[in-house]
Amino acid sequence: MENNNENILQVQNMHVYFYHDHGVLKAVSGVNFEVDKQKTLGIVGESGCGKSVTAHSLLRIMLPRSKMEQGKIYLNPPGQKEPLKLHQMHPKSKNIRRVRGNLISMIFQEPMTSLSPVHTIENQIKEAITLHREKDKKEAQKIALEMLKKVGISDPEQRLTEYPHQLSGGMRQRAMTAMALSCNPYILIADEPTTALDVTVQAQILDLMADLQKSLAMSIIYITHDMGVIAEVADEVCVMYLGKVVEYTDVDTLFYNAQHPYTQSLLNAIPRMDYEGRLEAIKGRVPEPVDLPEVCHFYPRCDQSIEGKCNQEEPPVFQTEEGHRVKCFLYEGGSGPDG
Amino acid sequence: MVENQKPQIKVENLLKKFPVEKGFFKRVVGHIKAVNRLNFKIDMGEVLGLVGESGCGKTTLGQTILRAMEPDDGKIYFNFGNGELQNIMEMSKREFRSYRRYMQMIFQDPFSSLDPRKTILDIVGEPLKVNNIARGKELENRVREVVASAGLNVEHIRRFPHAFSGGQRQRIAIARALAPNPRFVVADEPVSALDVSVRAEILNLFKDLQEELELTILFIAHDLSVVRYISDRVAVMYVGKMVEIAETRELYFNPQHPYTEVLMSAIPVPDPRVDKERKILEGEVPSASNPPAGCYFHPRCEYSQDICQKQTPELEEIREDHYAACHFADKLTLRGVK
Amino acid sequence: MADFLSGEEQQAEQQEERSLKAQIEDQEYYTASQKELVWQRFKKHRLALFGASIVFLFYFTAIFAEFIIPYRIFERDRQYVHAPPQRVRFIDDQGQFHLRPFVYPLSTERDSRTFELVFTEDKSEKNFLYFFVETEESYSLMRFFEVNTKLFGSENGRIFLFGTDSLGRDLFSRTVYASRISVSIGLIGVFVSFILGCIFGGISGYFGGKIDVLIQRVIEFLISIPRIPLWMALSASIPQDWGPLQVYMAITIILSLVGWGGLARVVRGKLLELREEDYVTAAKIAGARESTIIVSHLLPGFMSYLIVNLTLAIPGMILGETALSFLGLGLRPPVVSWGTLLQASQNFRTVARYPWLMFPGIFVVTFVLCINFMGDGLRDAADPYK
């Protein structure tokens, strides 16, 4: 996997562990994925599956008590021969700060936590711009105004002078997006950006992101627990369960030919408009993620598990078809569950 | 759908407003009408879904019809099983207390809704104890019974809430609500705080218990697909007003109010092959303390005309059992879900 | 037996055993009440545990003060005026180790120029310390028991662990005895504040509206008055001819009158917060009376916070008493409290020459620090459900 021009980002065998008093929590354990240029990678999973930690680790943001034990993160900015090795950068180094907000940007579920309450929107966007781009204040202001227009904020001149608390939830999310995109990043990481919003506002933001992706030619890593949102935004999808990617494929295959039992159950558990029958719940519950044995973590809840195998060793990743990877013993030897 | 068409609860002209206070001595400078003169009924054994965006007053409605918050005006008729409708607003607080057991509630946050200092036995037994329904051994037996029917291990009733996960806590909350054999339950976003796989379980539990106990439920949620799954009829709220009520399929596939149309088009469909074109709503939700004149939705409505700015439309029956509050409800052809 | 099992089987067995153990521990955790959980967490806080044990030691010595002190507090000895503290030793001048601790007796001499007493250790003799010694006359312990045993003493000569004061009274005895008043004033003061705070905070938070606004403004007013002048003004109004007990009560009430505001705010804030909890609404919907809700949900909910705040209010009370007495506005001699004892060290010359007069100050600092450590630990442990 050398500097392949198709991918803008490659993550190889990433492990991030949290060290607690009562044991080791492997929040991310052996995650692999690639992000294609100008495409959207969706990461989907339930709470505690490690999707958010994965996103933070890409920017080398280490949460308290956590450590990235292993893994390689290569960023391939266009026009550069050598990929940037993000995994070798110290979380507090100058190098990684040059990447954050500039080459890779991030937006969060709750914009209030990442917008400063004591500065106006204008100052915050300007700061982001002057930090990474060699622009003077006048130019920065112009870009800030342009960005607000781009993210569809009405009356942008007025909004620039306002503070985050004066904006509604949807507007805040737009303002944060404007700030994140002000340096034309190659990748935007969106960590559940619409979870706290109403459906109509969510629709607005999803629409906006699709437009911006086209006009700014960027890649997006979209993290969510909502299968509906994934179907709308993603090109490729990683399904995560307890720190591991269990299935990795393109979005159409995911919804029409899901292979991992967890993905299949997840799809059967969501109510659909055109289906009146009963929902199929997944039995049991997500186990405590501390000090788990090295076996298939989904084994206790799986109805297709192989006794003596799934609970004995960890399933490797099988490639069942081009670009479709499944971490499940059912696909050993490249065959499906039925032969 | 429901054979027994007698209303379980009927609400007339219900109003709940909150004062807007300002300054050192908290002068009242205006009111937010969170529930703005609503009229509707829910039939016996029916599940009415209530949808709307945050701040539209759906939670306040849920609490006022149980008199957990005192309404400012209006009548609430309730059928306590003797076949007639009694106005619970005419009862004194004291008098009403003994009737509370017939109307229970399930909350959104399973962490805040269970007192962390009480065991499951105490929590689920509380409605039985305060209403003198059961005591001692009898109470424990009844608690075991409902806890089991909510799908929990009866051996765990001496445990405290911190021993349980979110989904299990929600089961405890359901057991508590069902312990005094209520006729009506308000479920306020009961699955919003839960993960996808757990959500399905709790929804199924709701459905089973509702059918088994012939419960009447007001199911409040912002997730339209969840409401679609569980409800017989659905009501849509916008800024304190009800804009449309209809039978579920009818409302989803044949909406008659422009706001409902936008809501339906905004639902993310878990199918990548579905056409992604949708209606995007312009502008923002108006403040309930200072709503626009005429129809509250008109500034954002693509079909708006002069009359919409002047006259507030009332909820009217467009077709049988299909009510909408729009001047052009029967003239517009609107798109439902795909 | 183990020989017959393969490695894997052994492993499996061990694992099963371990998971069984974990299950039992979980069982305990799941059925642990709030008190148990708070204690579990408090135990992990080392500094708090240390603080708590010192605090209890202080209260213990205050209760059994008469037993612990070797001399009566008013017992003067002309021979030993401003005597320095004696060192307790195990190893004598010749480097010989003695299992029983001893002090060298002090020999006095008068300086021929300044006419001051000069103390030197007389190394030819040893005064051994004995524990649980019989006294010649019996004394009353806590006013109830007639006892004639003291914690320690020596057979011949006297022992001044902290030295003596200007009248030749043993400072150790006085300091320990003084803790009785000083530490109890904190408790009683906090108790009075607690009652006032609960009543006013409760009314404020429960009824809300105009009464709430009024009470909040009064509290703000009280808090905004500088403390020392207010204390001074209030204590100046204590009649000169009141007896020590009356003054003691008056000072306590003054301290708590000034101190209840903060507690009332805590009570109000917590009450408002808890009223919003869904489980309180749930109880209401279940048909519970207001009084039932208060007793079974609200009170237990904020009790832990109250205890924390009470603990953290004790040092304020103690420092208040010390400050007032030090300034001569609170308790007055002959009553012994840490504040009145520290009065002796008011001028710089005395402190420079007889630094041991500051010993009561060390007691104040240690006690206040330890109670703060304990309060911090309690605060962290108070809400085990986060």
Side-chain angles (χ1 to χ4, degrees):
Chain A
M1 290 213 195
E2 279 308 288
N3 192 351
N4 178 335
N5 281 335
E6 285 296 301
N7 305 327
I8 182 115
L9 186 81
Q10 286 170 27
V11 175
Q12 292 170 7
N13 198 24
M14 184 160 78
H15 289 255
V16 182
Y17 298 168
F18 282 78
Y19 294 90
H20 289 297
D21 295 343
H22 49 280
V24 180
L25 192 162
K26 296 182 178 174
V28 177
S29 109
V31 162
N32 293 289
F33 59 77
E34 301 89 42
V35 182
D36 291 344
K37 272 179 194 155
Q38 298 178 40
K39 294 277 177 181
T40 301
L41 172 76
I43 302 182
V44 68
E46 298 179 273
S47 51
C49 73
K51 55 191 193 297
S52 204
V53 178
T54 306
H56 282 83
S57 306
L58 294 182
L59 283 173
R60 307 283 293 124
I61 300 170
M62 298 323 281
L63 299 163
R65 290 177 171 215
S66 74
K67 200 175 167 218
M68 186 161 141
E69 289 291 340
Q70 269 188 63
K72 297 196 165 91
I73 309 166
Y74 296 108
L75 179 69
N76 309 315
Q80 229 167 314
K81 276 189 184 156
E82 282 292 302
L84 288 172
K85 293 176 182 137
L86 301 189
H87 53 276
Q88 288 177 351
M89 296 181 183
H90 188 268
K92 284 179 182 156
S93 67
K94 231 180 188 168
N95 287 338
I96 192 72
R97 282 210 303 270
R98 245 179 249 144
V99 173
R100 290 180 194 153
N102 190 20
L103 305 180
I104 306 178
S105 251
M106 191 158 173
I107 57 177
F108 303 89
Q109 178 175 344
E110 184 35 74
M112 268 320 249
T113 53
S114 48
L115 289 172
S116 157
V118 296
H119 295 289
T120 59
I121 302 294
E122 176 175 9
N123 284 340
Q124 300 190 41
I125 301 181
K126 262 161 61 179
E127 197 198 339
I129 296 168
T130 46
L131 207 65
H132 296 297
R133 290 164 74 173
E134 287 176 8
K135 301 281 179 192
D136 62 28
K137 284 203 170 159
K138 265 229 173 98
E139 282 175 294
Q141 186 168 6
K142 234 172 98 188
I143 297 172
L145 192 66
E146 221 169 86
M147 286 316 301
L148 284 198
K149 277 184 194 153
K150 237 180 222 167
V151 297
I153 288 185
S154 54
D155 201 0
E157 285 91 353
Q158 171 64 28
R159 299 290 187 204
L160 272 182
T161 61
E162 289 183 345
Y163 291 89
H165 68 264
Q166 290 170 295
L167 306 179
S168 69
M171 281 298 151
R172 265 181 227 149
Q173 198 56 272
R174 282 167 192 260
M176 185 164 69
T177 312
M179 195 164 100
L181 299 182
S182 58
C183 294
N184 285 330
Y186 296 117
I187 302 173
L188 175 71
I189 303 175
D191 187 359
E192 306 240 12
T194 61
T195 304
L197 303 174
D198 282 313
V199 262
T200 58
V201 188
Q202 168 170 291
Q204 292 170 1
I205 299 286
L206 292 183
D207 219 49
L208 170 73
M209 300 221 351
D211 285 351
L212 289 172
Q213 179 167 31
K214 255 181 237 151
S215 65
L216 301 177
M218 62 179 176
S219 306
I220 296 179
I221 298 177
Y222 198 104
I223 295 163
T224 182
H225 66 276
D226 189 330
M227 280 294 191
V229 173
I230 280 291
E232 305 228 341
V233 299
D235 298 304
E236 302 274 320
V237 185
C238 277
V239 182
M240 284 185 76
Y241 187 74
L242 281 170
K244 296 185 171 162
V245 175
V246 293
E247 186 155 5
Y248 180 50
T249 179
D250 66 276
V251 70
D252 197 73
T253 316
L254 186 86
F255 282 89
Y256 284 92
N257 186 21
Q259 293 186 325
H260 196 282
Y262 176 65
T263 319
Q264 290 169 353
S265 326
L266 210 53
L267 286 168
N268 288 335
I270 47 173
R272 287 162 192 261
M273 288 302 149
D274 48 357
Y275 173 69
E276 308 236 326
R278 209 178 152 77
L279 294 179
E280 284 172 42
I282 307 177
K283 67 179 180 193
R285 52 194 267 207
V286 182
E288 275 293 308
V290 176
D291 291 335
L292 286 173
E294 294 295 327
V295 300
C296 175
H297 295 334
F298 191 60
Y299 160 75
R301 308 177 72 190
C302 182
D303 46 16
Q304 301 174 54
S305 60
I306 305 161
E307 185 68 39
K309 190 149 199 180
C310 301
N311 57 343
Q312 288 296 328
E313 45 189 312
E314 186 171 346
V317 176
F318 299 104
Q319 177 139 2
T320 55
E321 51 195 316
E322 180 70 36
H324 193 163
R325 307 200 293 247
V326 189
K327 191 180 175 66
C328 179
F329 281 119
L330 292 173
Y331 302 94
E332 210 165 3
S335 58
D338 302 317
Chain B
M1 195 150 244
V2 183
E3 307 277 297
N4 197 344
Q5 285 296 345
K6 274 188 211 154
Q8 172 61 54
I9 189 162
K10 201 170 137 204
V11 173
E12 280 178 12
N13 205 24
L14 190 70
L15 173 73
K16 175 69 193 175
K17 53 186 184 181
F18 296 104
V20 181
E21 292 169 338
K22 251 191 182 158
F24 190 70
F25 290 107
K26 305 200 169 155
R27 213 158 31 89
V28 175
V29 292
H31 283 99
I32 290 175
K33 287 178 182 162
V35 173
N36 195 351
R37 306 213 172 271
L38 297 187
N39 295 288
F40 65 94
K41 65 175 175 58
I42 310 174
D43 286 331
M44 276 164 102
E46 183 187 47
V47 180
L48 177 70
L50 181 62
V51 296
E53 296 181 270
S54 47
C56 73
K58 50 190 196 302
T59 295
T60 313
L61 173 63
Q63 300 220 352
T64 37
I65 60 173
L66 298 181
R67 283 184 75 183
M69 279 182 209
E70 288 296 320
D72 291 296
D73 192 18
K75 296 186 178 115
I76 301 165
Y77 296 99
F78 194 83
N79 180 353
F80 288 104
N82 47 7
E84 49 187 291
L85 288 171
Q86 260 178 291
N87 183 0
I88 61 167
M89 291 306 297
E90 276 170 0
M91 297 179 187
S92 70
K93 277 187 189 175
R94 226 189 144 77
E95 204 182 333
F96 179 54
R97 203 163 55 220
S98 54
Y99 289 102
R100 282 204 185 273
R101 54 175 290 202
Y102 296 107
M103 356 178 37
Q104 290 294 306
M105 181 152 181
I106 296 159
F107 298 84
Q108 171 175 5
D109 180 0
F111 288 83
S112 150
S113 71
L114 308 178
D115 189 339
R117 291 160 205 89
K118 302 261 186 290
T119 61
I120 305 316
L121 178 61
D122 292 333
I123 291 170
V124 178
E126 183 172 40
L128 303 171
K129 204 167 139 196
V130 296
N131 289 302
N132 288 322
I133 297 171
R135 268 167 200 285
K137 196 72 204 160
E138 202 188 330
L139 183 137
E140 192 177 321
N141 287 338
R142 172 72 186 143
V143 169
R144 279 171 183 275
E145 202 178 299
V146 281
V147 159
S149 68
L152 289 160
N153 186 344
V154 288
E155 299 308 312
H156 293 170
I157 58 168
R158 309 244 171 235
R159 293 186 174 184
F160 287 85
H162 65 253
F164 298 91
S165 67
Q168 287 174 307
R169 278 162 173 254
Q170 207 54 294
R171 287 174 187 270
I172 298 167
I174 292 170
R176 169 178 59 193
L178 299 184
N181 267 326
R183 305 179 64 84
F184 174 57
V185 173
V186 172
D188 187 0
E189 306 255 12
V191 296
S192 312
L194 306 176
D195 263 322
V196 185
S197 65
V198 185
R199 185 179 294 184
E201 255 174 59
I202 300 291
L203 283 175
N204 284 339
L205 176 69
F206 252 98
K207 248 192 157 156
D208 295 345
L209 288 173
Q210 191 268 332
E211 274 162 29
E212 192 186 316
L213 307 171
E214 293 172 358
L215 279 173
T216 308
I217 297 180
L218 177 65
F219 194 97
I220 304 171
H222 68 272
D223 187 329
L224 291 149
S225 37
V226 166
V227 171
R228 160 91 177 89
Y229 179 65
I230 202 113
S231 316
D232 299 318
R233 280 197 309 147
V234 177
V236 181
M237 266 181 100
Y238 186 72
V239 199
K241 284 269 188 198
M242 237 169 226
V243 296
E244 189 165 2
I245 310 183
E247 189 265 317
T248 308
R249 276 193 74 86
E250 169 81 6
L251 186 106
Y252 276 67
F253 291 97
N254 191 12
Q256 293 297 315
H257 194 284
Y259 177 64
T260 316
E261 185 190 29
V262 176
L263 272 186
M264 294 307 151
S265 103
I267 307 171
V269 187
D271 186 343
R273 291 183 191 171
V274 164
D275 152 42
K276 285 180 192 169
E277 211 162 297
R278 60 157 61 103
K279 291 186 181 291
I280 297 296
L281 206 49
E282 296 296 321
E284 290 181 37
V285 181
S287 140
S289 62
N290 184 24
C295 173
Y296 292 174
F297 189 58
H298 87 257
R300 310 174 76 188
C301 179
E302 58 176 306
Y303 311 106
S304 150
Q305 294 189 19
D306 287 349
I307 185 174
C308 303
Q309 298 173 25
K310 291 171 195 135
Q311 215 177 328
T312 311
E314 290 302 319
L315 205 57
E316 273 169 44
E317 192 158 13
I318 311 292
R319 273 191 286 282
E320 203 195 338
D321 275 335
H322 192 150
Y323 299 80
C326 175
H327 294 300
F328 305 101
D330 42 358
K331 297 183 190 81
L332 297 171
T333 340
L334 304 177
R335 228 163 29 135
V337 291
K338 283 150 266 174
Chain C
M1 171 77 197
D3 292 346
F4 299 110
L5 294 172
S6 70
E8 265 170 39
E9 272 173 288
Q10 261 184 30
Q11 228 172 14
E13 201 167 79
Q14 276 171 6
Q15 197 143 18
E16 201 167 298
E17 203 173 292
R18 216 177 305 144
S19 74
L20 199 69
K21 211 178 145 203
Q23 261 175 25
I24 292 165
E25 278 169 12
D26 280 353
Q27 232 4 294
E28 276 171 16
Y29 171 71
Y30 292 153
T31 53
S33 69
Q34 184 186 18
K35 265 181 222 147
E36 288 156 1
L37 290 177
V38 167
W39 174 235
Q40 292 277 337
R41 286 184 33 153
F42 186 76
K43 269 199 305 196
K44 280 192 192 154
H45 205 302
R46 293 263 173 77
L47 194 61
L49 212 56
F50 168 77
S53 39
I54 301 289
V55 166
F56 281 107
L57 192 69
F58 264 95
Y59 280 104
F60 183 82
T61 48
I63 292 167
F64 298 104
E66 289 101 338
F67 170 68
I68 288 157
I69 59 178
Y71 307 111
R72 275 174 290 129
I73 53 169
F74 298 118
E75 197 175 312
R76 297 179 181 189
D77 200 327
R78 286 277 169 82
Q79 213 189 335
Y80 299 101
V81 171
H82 282 316
Q86 287 165 295
R87 252 176 76 187
V88 178
R89 296 162 195 267
F90 287 95
I91 296 165
D92 68 15
D93 225 18
Q94 279 87 45
Q96 205 179 341
F97 177 80
H98 298 265
L99 192 62
R100 186 171 283 287
F102 65 93
V103 295
Y104 286 121
L106 293 172
S107 62
T108 50
E109 236 174 84
R110 204 167 274 279
D111 188 304
S112 53
R113 276 190 307 139
T114 60
F115 293 103
E116 264 185 7
L117 284 173
V118 178
F119 296 90
T120 44
E121 283 186 325
D122 180 1
K123 304 226 162 129
S124 60
E125 276 180 72
K126 294 186 193 79
N127 261 351
F128 285 100
L129 258 65
Y130 291 90
F131 292 95
F132 302 106
V133 291
E134 300 268 315
T135 50
E136 285 156 26
E137 37 187 312
S138 61
Y139 61 95
S140 66
L141 180 63
M142 294 186 289
R143 301 202 174 180
F144 294 116
F145 312 105
E146 284 296 311
V147 188
N148 54 0
T149 316
K150 289 267 185 186
L151 180 64
F152 68 94
S154 67
E155 277 190 326
N156 43 358
R158 315 192 56 150
I159 302 167
F160 303 120
L161 291 179
F162 289 0
T164 63
D165 66 4
S166 59
L167 296 172
R169 297 175 292 199
D170 177 33
L171 202 57
F172 175 75
S173 303
R174 289 173 70 78
T175 309
V176 168
Y177 195 80
S179 65
R180 184 173 274 187
I181 281 188
S182 292
V183 300
S184 68
I185 215 163
L187 276 193
I188 295 174
V190 157
F191 182 69
V192 177
S193 305
F194 168 73
I195 291 172
L196 287 172
C198 274
I199 292 173
F200 287 106
I203 291 174
S204 193
Y206 195 78
F207 293 104
K210 293 236 155 60
I211 275 196
D212 179 29
V213 175
L214 185 75
I215 292 177
Q216 290 313 305
R217 297 297 162 267
V218 170
I219 292 175
E220 275 156 26
F221 177 71
L222 269 180
I223 287 176
S224 66
I225 303 173
R227 282 207 160 194
I228 300 269
L230 182 65
W231 281 339
M232 287 168 78
L234 287 172
S235 48
S237 58
I238 300 173
Q240 290 287 329
D241 53 351
W242 276 14
L245 191 71
Q246 281 169 306
V247 176
Y248 173 82
M249 288 317 290
I251 292 291
T252 319
I253 287 169
I254 289 171
L255 289 173
S256 41
L257 276 181
V258 182
W260 66 270
L263 270 173
R265 279 189 165 177
V266 172
V267 172
R268 172 180 176 266
K270 202 66 206 167
L271 208 60
L272 288 179
E273 193 187 314
L274 286 176
R275 282 188 76 85
E276 293 299 309
E277 292 278 351
D278 286 343
Y279 62 78
V280 175
T281 315
K284 192 177 168 187
I285 289 172
R289 287 163 205 279
E290 287 285 347
S291 54
T292 317
I293 293 176
I294 294 173
V295 172
S296 80
H297 293 291
L298 296 181
L299 272 178
F302 68 67
M303 211 29 105
S304 57
Y305 290 89
L306 268 188
I307 291 169
V308 170
N309 277 282
L310 288 175
T311 316
L312 291 171
I314 293 175
M317 295 283 168
I318 289 171
L319 291 174
E321 182 276 325
T322 312
L324 277 181
S325 304
F326 179 76
L327 293 171
L329 293 162
L331 300 165
R332 300 176 200 106
V335 177
V336 284
S337 77
W338 288 338
T340 55
L341 289 181
L342 281 172
Q343 261 185 308
S345 56
Q346 259 181 355
N347 87 51
F348 180 68
R349 244 167 52 101
T350 347
V351 175
R353 199 172 290 171
Y354 317 117
W356 54 89
L357 291 178
M358 300 285 283
F359 265 117
I362 295 175
F363 269 57
V364 176
V365 173
T366 314
F367 185 68
V368 167
L369 266 181
C370 286
I371 214 159
N372 275 328
F373 291 154
M374 184 171 108
D376 278 348
L378 278 177
R379 184 170 48 203
D380 293 347
D383 196 353
Y385 304 112
K386 272 182 190 153

